[in-house]
Amino acid sequence: MLLLIFIYISILAFILTSLSVAIRFSKMPMHSRWELYPVPKEKGRSEYGGSYYEELKWYEKPREISLFGELKEMLKEMLFIKNLFVNQRQLWWLSYALHLGIYLLGLWTVMLLVGAVTEVAGMTIISDEGVTSHWWAGLVYYVTLFAGAMGAVLTALGSGGLLLRRVTMESMKKYTTGQDYFNLLFIIIVLVTGLVVWASEPTFSYGREIMKGLLTFSPISADGPLTLHIILLGLLLIYIPKSKMSHYVAKYFTFHKVLWENEPNLPGSEIDQKIKEAAGIKSGKTWAAPHFQAGGPVSKDQ
Amino acid sequence: MIKGKDLKPQDMGKPHEQLTKLEKLMDLPAPYDKPGMEPSLTEPKDAWKEKFCASLDGYIGIDTLTRPTTKEEEEEQVEMFLSGLEKIFSDETNRNFIQPLLLSFEYCAKCNTCSEACHVFQASGQNELYRPIFRSEVLRRIARKHFKKGSGIVEKFIGADIDINWETIARLGELAYRCNLCRRCAQTCPLGLDNALLAREIRKIFSQEMGIAPRPLHEKGTVLQLKTGSSTGITKPALLDNIEFIEEDIEEKTGKKIKIPIDKKGADILLTHNAGEFMAWPENPAAFAILFEDAGLDWTLSSDLLGYDNVNYGIWYDDSQAKKIALQQFKVARDLGVKRIVLGECGHAHKAAAVSADRLFTGEDYIPKESFLPLLWDLIKNNKLKLDPSKNNFPVTMHDPCNVVRMMGIVQPQRDIIKAVSPQFREMTPHGVHNYCCGGGSGFAIMKSMNFSEFREKVSTRMKFKQILDAFQDTIEDPTIPKYVCAPCSNCKGAIRDILKFYKVTEKFNVHYGGLVELVVNALVDIEKPFLDFLRDD
Ligand code: SF4
Ligand code: SF4
């Protein structure tokens, strides 16, 4: 039962901490404009990096925004890590293996859940005689198997490769902190314990059992290796959003709220409103240089 | 001294007289691939080492960062740096940048994708010191050490393993001036992080807290501009004299009698120039006047304080100076009652007025700002100017100012214009939003103290020089063919002028430089003699 509660807690912690990171960034004050082209939402211009400033009297014309353009670029980045693919192919292979592996493991988790729901509803997925002959059971079983196996292999290749690259390449090693190594190692260890468990039961039935436990709030039975794996995985889930591995949240802000955010401040616009509100905030604290002090000298030498 | 390739972020605090030095730089294309074609590197003078911080790479960018003479002074400077460091991370004192700063500060994966993109790092022959994340990583390590005091092992684990002393801090300040803030690196980062932003925040700590910034930017830059109206120091009477001279010059060169409108109330357009043009390149405001008058626009210049100089060096190093200047510039336009500000050939003025200062003021103070580029293209497209491109029948290439292109998204109009007036136009590689900085960005073009120019000529402008040579490979070695580098930005133009001089390119290979409007005027049908000086016989 304790194990079950721990799993609940770690999943909840993962979601809540990720959310709190997002909330923390979204609550920050509106920043000065700091966009960088190409901005994909610029309709008809994003291909070459153009913007509304190419238009004569742009402020009198309606703003043409392509949400599709933005979405397309976002998906390319999320699904393929496009920027890395274009700018650093070698590293992309490893990084993409890791990320695709993680996506597949995500799919695997969902499939375990689907399997568990199916079993709770009364249809066995796999028994001692083999996979149940119903097409649904077969589908669930093989997709789970495929996602789990491919996910594990790719994540292992990716994280192992990245770690190896980091320790062997001088230009990367110099900038890597102990914590950076720890993050990669943590993923690898969770993966290894997972592989050990899987080796003893290749059908992933234990996964569906755990999901059933979670769904019906009933205790799960786990042997030594499985318990260890669950604890480590849970700890990883708690740790990820607290570390810089939470870049899945940050990336939304770096692109959407900074680099691709080029909303002009026109009279009566929402931005205009925000500036007015911000103008009311007076801070007691200021900077110390002479030119910040009223009536003070304007530079050090005066 | 440590070899460039062996340098580590932790070395910034180590007691070396000079941390590293430039060695084998990036190769240049023909004819500069032969030995003896470029001036060699020099050593910093001993007197500079004693007075300033020459202990980074031997160059001195900050001429106000002087070595403390007493222990107390030294400690005080370190303390001030740390208090400034705290202020950039506070949403009370750094409202405008806290969000982008924290994102770039916290999430770097050290994947080094950005290094490929940086012209300074590449031009230096990949000296570790100039790698975009080197500076960022030093800042991170200092901040971690300062904010999260822990035991030795914890410090090492989180990367708080750098010694914070005066030397570390001074070197970091210098290093913030080895980046052109061109943001080419940020375009390639898979996480959308921005090393230029971090470099600029370091500059802010020095300026806003410690009162230390290169003289050409602060004391002789923004401070002078706020006091006299222009960082060039031109006063109103001098400006008026200058404009008279420009009118005479126009008549002499083109036979056109033009009265340049000044302080015309209620005009449609207030045209603003980088005041450096009036002094160094008067043919540029002249060309604007010719084109605007030819097209019959309702326009004016301003002779008001800050109305005739659109530069704003504040955007390179100090938020409050930037704000003060923008505020006054917009006020001039409103007082004149013009309908819009049109920005002339100055890249950073484009970004400062239209982008950086866009969210500083609310509706009541609003005045539309736009680039001259769409306007000029509109005039050409609608046949308001009679042009004969065959008058520009020589090889031309164009530099894209980072501030206009990468940071504002104006890419196409200048191409349409140049193609309409120049039959032998060829692009640089890469160009448009992926161009390389001219090497003069973020203040470098005007920072000339001690040996800093050498860093600029040899390193930061090197990639642009390579691009220019590459663009003219077909004719470079034929000195009978004139070649033209078009740079529609005052600062870029300054940087390119200095490259051509330093490497003796005009002298040896007949390569010239100038703006875009000059090229357009040179193609005007009704002008008899060439407008461009290098085409004239007299
Ligand atoms: S590309 Fe981005 S994440 Fe990678 S090292 Fe550079 S700044 Fe860091
Ligand atoms: S902003 Fe430009 S000069 Fe600075 S690190 Fe990035 S690419 Fe290099």
Side-chain angles (χ1 to χ4, degrees):
Chain A
M1 201 63 194
L2 269 181
L3 205 54
L4 191 76
I5 293 172
F6 175 71
I7 300 177
Y8 282 127
I9 292 178
S10 55
I11 295 172
L12 208 67
F14 177 80
I15 296 171
L16 290 181
T17 320
S18 301
L19 264 177
S20 81
V21 175
I23 291 169
R24 172 172 162 243
F25 279 113
S26 59
K27 279 208 163 144
M28 284 178 189
M30 180 176 68
H31 54 79
S32 287
R33 282 178 60 180
W34 193 253
E35 67 255 34
L36 188 67
Y37 291 87
V39 170
K41 70 175 171 216
E42 287 295 331
K43 199 169 180 179
R45 305 182 204 265
S46 67
E47 283 299 308
Y48 63 87
S51 79
Y52 54 88
Y53 286 117
E54 292 188 332
E55 202 61 52
L56 187 67
K57 295 201 181 170
W58 60 268
Y59 41 85
E60 288 177 358
K61 299 186 178 157
R63 194 75 215 280
E64 298 207 12
I65 287 174
S66 156
L67 280 180
F68 173 73
E70 176 148 348
L71 214 68
K72 196 171 77 184
E73 213 44 44
M74 204 171 95
L75 282 176
K76 273 194 211 160
E77 198 51 49
M78 276 167 64
L79 297 177
F80 305 113
I81 324 185
K82 184 196 144 196
N83 242 344
L84 200 60
F85 180 79
V86 175
N87 295 304
Q88 217 189 153
R89 195 67 51 91
Q90 251 190 345
L91 185 62
W92 177 84
W93 285 107
L94 294 175
S95 177
Y96 193 56
L98 172 64
H99 286 88
L100 188 63
I102 292 172
Y103 291 163
L104 284 170
L105 289 177
L107 174 67
W108 170 73
T109 313
V110 172
M111 288 314 292
L112 287 178
L113 189 70
V114 171
V117 172
T118 309
E119 295 202 333
V120 171
M123 182 192 286
T124 324
I125 299 279
I126 184 169
S127 61
D128 290 344
E129 285 94 61
V131 184
T132 310
S133 61
H134 193 277
W135 66 271
W136 174 248
L139 184 77
V140 172
Y141 177 76
Y142 288 109
V143 174
T144 313
L145 197 66
F146 169 80
M150 281 301 282
V153 170
L154 285 174
T155 314
L157 274 178
S159 51
L162 284 177
L163 186 66
L164 214 67
R165 203 178 135 104
R166 228 164 241 293
V167 289
T168 52
M169 273 181 73
E170 203 45 47
S171 60
M172 294 196 105
K173 206 161 115 187
K174 265 181 207 173
Y175 298 94
T176 309
T177 61
Q179 198 169 6
D180 296 331
Y181 288 127
F182 174 80
N183 295 350
L184 274 171
L185 270 174
F186 201 164
I187 297 179
I188 292 173
I189 287 171
V190 171
L191 211 68
V192 168
T193 56
L195 287 172
V196 168
V197 176
W198 183 38
S200 68
E201 204 183 327
T203 61
F204 288 127
S205 288
Y206 59 91
R208 279 182 289 273
E209 287 308 315
I210 294 171
M211 286 295 177
K212 269 197 267 180
L214 287 172
L215 279 173
T216 57
F217 202 65
S218 41
I220 45 182
S221 63
D223 57 3
L226 183 56
T227 311
L228 181 68
H229 175 60
I230 291 175
I231 292 177
L232 286 173
L233 178 62
L235 289 176
L236 182 63
L237 282 179
I238 297 170
Y239 173 69
I240 283 178
K242 288 188 176 298
S243 75
K244 71 178 183 194
M245 286 187 280
S246 63
H247 61 234
Y248 51 91
V249 180
K251 237 174 136 162
Y252 172 82
F253 289 92
T254 55
F255 286 104
H256 295 265
K257 295 291 167 200
V258 183
L259 300 182
W260 299 349
E261 208 273 86
N262 62 353
E263 208 46 49
N265 161 30
L266 290 166
S269 65
E270 205 182 312
I271 304 270
D272 180 61
Q273 200 51 41
K274 278 198 192 158
I275 301 170
K276 282 189 182 132
E277 280 158 25
I281 304 169
K282 286 276 169 285
S283 153
K285 261 170 63 187
T286 180
W287 293 78
H291 60 279
F292 274 80
Q293 319 312 321
V298 286
S299 69
K300 203 177 148 218
D301 305 298
Q302 283 185 327
Chain B
M1 193 162 329
I2 305 172
K3 272 203 160 319
K5 68 171 178 32
D6 299 331
L7 204 63
K8 295 191 299 297
Q10 296 90 327
D11 296 330
M12 282 286 271
K14 305 277 163 64
H16 293 277
E17 190 188 87
Q18 186 179 319
L19 204 54
T20 187
K21 67 191 270 190
L22 290 168
E23 277 158 81
K24 171 92 184 64
L25 304 178
M26 178 187 78
D27 288 334
L28 287 171
Y32 286 83
D33 51 349
K34 298 168 200 77
M37 283 298 279
E38 58 175 308
S40 4
L41 295 162
T42 60
E43 290 291 324
K45 292 192 180 135
D46 285 337
W48 299 341
K49 294 185 196 167
E50 275 162 36
K51 187 155 182 219
F52 304 102
C53 172
S55 66
L56 184 73
D57 51 3
Y59 293 100
I60 297 137
I62 316 181
D63 51 358
T64 50
L65 177 57
T66 44
R67 268 180 196 282
T69 43
T70 61
K71 197 89 203 123
E72 291 77 50
E73 210 187 313
E74 191 172 318
E75 278 163 16
E76 192 198 4
Q77 281 205 7
V78 174
E79 279 313 309
M80 285 190 84
F81 174 87
L82 294 172
S83 85
L85 183 69
E86 288 168 14
K87 287 182 188 171
I88 62 167
F89 287 108
S90 149
D91 58 8
E92 263 189 281
T93 33
N94 200 15
R95 281 189 74 79
N96 291 340
F97 282 97
I98 183 87
Q99 189 189 51
L101 164 64
L102 280 178
L103 289 165
S104 288
F105 184 82
E106 285 177 6
Y107 287 98
C108 178
K110 330 280 169 55
C111 70
N112 270 327
T113 313
C114 48
S115 318
E116 271 306 303
C118 176
H119 63 288
V120 176
F121 176 59
Q122 297 303 339
S124 73
Q126 306 198 335
N127 185 316
E128 213 51 43
L129 183 65
Y130 310 109
R131 195 185 277 284
I133 60 166
F134 187 92
R135 169 187 319 106
S136 309
E137 197 51 23
V138 173
L139 178 71
R140 279 188 198 101
R141 286 176 196 238
I142 290 178
R144 288 214 185 99
K145 189 159 181 114
H146 179 62
F147 292 118
K148 301 193 181 152
K149 294 201 171 75
S151 69
I153 304 167
V154 175
E155 284 195 346
K156 193 139 184 42
F157 182 66
I158 60 169
D161 49 356
I162 198 164
D163 301 327
I164 304 182
N165 52 46
W166 188 86
E167 215 64 59
T168 320
I169 281 155
R171 283 171 179 159
L172 182 64
E174 275 294 336
L175 193 52
Y177 287 92
R178 299 295 183 276
C179 162
N180 284 115
L181 309 186
C182 75
R183 301 179 70 207
R184 196 172 188 274
C185 52
Q187 279 180 324
T188 65
C189 174
L191 297 174
L193 312 182
D194 198 329
N195 290 299
L197 181 94
L198 297 182
R200 188 174 174 278
E201 292 296 309
I202 300 170
R203 293 182 179 193
K204 270 164 63 178
I205 300 178
F206 274 80
S207 177
Q208 300 187 176
E209 191 72 2
M210 305 165 76
I212 295 173
R215 260 196 198 95
L217 306 194
H218 187 65
E219 199 184 309
K220 294 191 185 137
T222 57
V223 171
L224 190 64
Q225 191 180 9
L226 286 166
K227 201 166 105 198
T228 66
S230 165
S231 54
T232 56
I234 324 183
T235 53
K236 184 169 173 160
L239 175 84
L240 296 178
D241 269 359
N242 229 303
I243 290 179
E244 232 171 79
F245 160 77
I246 289 174
E247 287 167 344
E248 284 163 20
D249 207 43
I250 293 177
E251 188 171 358
E252 201 184 298
K253 270 180 158 174
T254 69
K256 287 176 188 275
K257 263 189 172 320
I258 286 178
K259 182 90 201 100
I260 296 179
I262 301 168
D263 301 326
K264 184 172 155 198
K265 289 245 174 227
D268 176 25
I269 292 168
L270 168 63
L271 175 67
T272 63
H273 291 296
N274 178 321
E277 301 286 315
F278 292 113
M279 321 242 301
W281 300 287
E283 66 277 10
N284 182 276
F288 266 102
I290 295 170
L291 296 175
F292 279 24
E293 285 297 308
D294 258 24
L297 299 180
D298 174 19
W299 70 291
T300 185
L301 296 180
S302 162
S303 70
D304 232 345
L305 198 67
L306 278 104
Y308 55 90
D309 195 356
N310 63 12
V311 308
N312 189 342
Y313 299 167
I315 65 164
W316 297 328
Y317 77 100
D318 190 304
D319 289 343
S320 83
Q321 293 296 89
K323 185 171 177 170
K324 281 184 232 168
I325 288 172
L327 185 68
Q328 294 216 40
Q329 288 171 333
F330 297 166
K331 188 173 173 300
V332 168
R334 277 193 318 280
D335 290 351
L336 255 184
V338 295
K339 299 203 178 54
R340 49 182 165 151
I341 296 177
V342 168
L343 299 149
E345 295 194 3
C346 175
H348 87 269
H350 270 69
K351 183 189 168 197
V355 181
S356 304
D358 187 46
R359 290 181 183 167
L360 292 180
F361 314 106
T362 51
E364 295 84 71
D365 299 327
Y366 185 78
I367 174 103
K369 286 126 331 214
E370 61 184 324
S371 167
F372 76 101
L373 288 164
L375 176 65
L376 183 54
W377 172 233
D378 186 71
L379 299 179
I380 295 176
K381 191 172 61 185
N382 295 316
N383 294 318
K384 295 273 168 55
L385 303 166
K386 297 280 161 282
L387 300 166
D388 172 9
S390 71
K391 290 187 166 191
N392 286 333
N393 198 14
F394 45 84
V396 171
T397 189
M398 179 167 61
H399 163 66
D400 280 301
C402 299
N403 285 307
V404 172
V405 174
R406 191 165 17 250
M407 299 183 218
M408 227 175 134
I410 303 179
V411 187
Q412 201 49 48
Q414 59 270 48
R415 307 203 134 60
D416 292 334
I417 295 167
I418 207 161
K419 282 176 192 160
V421 297
S422 176
Q424 292 196 47
F425 170 64
R426 68 277 311 275
E427 292 277 15
M428 292 185 185
T429 319
H431 57 263
V433 280
H434 298 296
N435 76 315
Y436 281 109
C437 169
C438 62
S442 83
F444 287 22
I446 51 169
M447 286 164 60
K448 309 214 160 157
S449 42
M450 268 69 76
N451 54 358
F452 193 71
S453 313
E454 181 177 293
F455 178 80
R456 188 181 60 239
E457 312 307 6
K458 294 285 285 191
V459 184
S460 77
T461 61
R462 197 174 190 84
M463 190 62 89
K464 188 50 59 181
F465 184 38
K466 176 177 184 302
Q467 282 192 290
I468 293 171
L469 292 174
D470 282 339
F472 292 138
Q473 272 304 303
D474 55 345
T475 49
I476 187 82
E477 289 187 66
D478 183 348
T480 61
I481 302 174
K483 293 154 281 270
Y484 187 79
V485 185
C486 168
C489 162
S490 200
N491 270 277
C492 304
K493 209 154 66 179
I496 289 169
R497 169 193 60 197
D498 293 355
I499 303 179
L500 298 186
K501 196 160 152 222
F502 184 80
Y503 293 95
K504 300 199 167 69
V505 201
T506 310
E507 198 178 301
K508 289 184 177 158
F509 303 106
N510 204 1
V511 178
H512 303 267
Y513 74 97
L516 181 59
V517 282
E518 293 92 314
L519 206 56
V520 178
V521 169
N522 198 60
L524 282 177
V525 172
D526 65 352
I527 290 180
E528 264 172 43
K529 284 199 207 147
F531 184 73
L532 294 168
D533 279 342
F534 65 90
L535 299 176
R536 295 166 72 93
D537 311 324
D538 48 11

